[in-house]
Amino acid sequence: MEQEENNSCALVLTGGGARAAYQVGVLKAISECYPRSQAIPFPILCGTSAGAINATALACYASCFHLGVRKLEYIWRHLNTEDVLRLQARKVIQHSLKSLLWGVLGKPTQIALPLFDTSPLERLLEKVIDFPRIDNNLLYGALEVLAVTASNYNTGDSTTFYQGRPYHQPWARAGRSGRSAIIAPPHLMASSALPFIFKPCLLQNHHYGDGSIHQLNPLSPAIHLGAQRILIISLAPDESDADTLPSDPSSSDIAGHLLDTVFTDALTSDIERLQRINSTIKLVPERNREQLSLRHIDNLVLKPSKNLDDLTHKHFHKLPYNIRALLRLFGVDAGDATGLASFLLFEKGYCRELIDLGYQDTQARLEEVCHFLAVEPKKK
């Protein structure tokens, strides 16, 4: 059975920690273009890191786009850092001292302990995401496929776990693969496990971390799963608003820059590659296009009009004291709370500001978005 053409629009949600709240504002603006009982207009949902969590939440309510977005917005608007992570400073210090002692005694060094305990996030996912609904939406046709990408530390590959309709087949390419799975909390925890900060997750005897680390082709899962059109919500600012590192960067500046690179550079390159392929296909006569192993894929990228790092200053003091103290060790204070802080600021004030920005940015491009989705914008 082949995939139906009207089920070929994909939504790709990238990672970015707390900054993924911006995606919710974009989705809210889009949902207002559809009737309240409308199913999700993106039957193919692909997410990485925090974007994987948002994509899975949408998949649970694929039969009612409005309801899924409302529930997702409620969670982000009422989020606190303690709902996602907590600093395990004492364990890290004890672990480091023990590892140092073992090194002096010539014994094998222990595995490094991550800075944060993410068990609160796992409990939150189990509480707010109704995973069995994914299968129901697949069964009744409201959803085509959900894909969550994680990085395999054992093989160095980018692995996409997908839960979809029966005709979707696994794939294997250089450095990346797709595997059928029943999406559950461990897949989301694996996809969002930032290295050194969060603990790797064990799945099928392999250790996995944040999906963006090895994801050199972020659009690949959507394409393998049959997308003809792809809407991408990126968390990278416009090039004109992108910040460069200061002349004397702090550890936080460098860490934030590296995370930005992980989350955005591969996506930018993949979008450019897709656009070049589309341009090349146009040069090939229609009678010869069937001989190509490539196909034209429409795409639209939505991204913040402001640098999201710059919005962290006024919210930095809302972080728990021990996390602020840790960040100060990396050179972060309230007057320079950018970079690493923006990924960890799971505070409702910051998240609400990002949601509102995403909503406003999408409203400003609503005509373009509606044209891409072939839907009439609602009259005000």
Side-chain angles (χ1 to χ4, degrees), residues 61-75:
Y61 294 94
S63 60
C64 184
F65 187 34
H66 269 266
L67 180 60
V69 173
R70 285 206 309 272
K71 285 184 173 290
L72 194 56
E73 182 184 10
Y74 180 87
I75 294 167

Side-chain angles (χ1 to χ4, degrees), residues 280-354:
T280 301
I281 291 174
K282 287 181 180 179
L283 299 176
V284 178
E286 289 190 20
R287 64 180 180 275
N288 297 331
R289 290 181 185 179
E290 291 183 2
Q291 302 173 11
L292 297 176
S293 59
L294 305 173
R295 66 178 187 271
H296 183 281
I297 297 175
D298 293 326
N299 64 94
L300 178 66
V301 183
L302 301 177
K303 56 175 58 178
S305 59
K306 299 179 181 179
N307 192 317
L308 302 186
D309 284 356
D310 296 339
L311 305 180
T312 62
H313 302 279
K314 59 185 176 184
H315 302 288
F316 181 72
H317 68 283
K318 295 290 183 64
L319 279 168
Y321 173 78
N322 57 0
I323 295 180
R324 279 184 281 137
L326 173 67
L327 290 174
R328 287 193 180 100
L329 293 177
F330 287 93
V332 180
D333 57 35
D336 186 33
T338 59
L340 182 59
S342 69
F343 292 89
L344 302 177
L345 236 170
F346 293 97
E347 292 294 329
K348 54 189 175 185
Y350 179 62
C351 294
R352 290 176 180 181
E353 189 166 359
L354 296 189

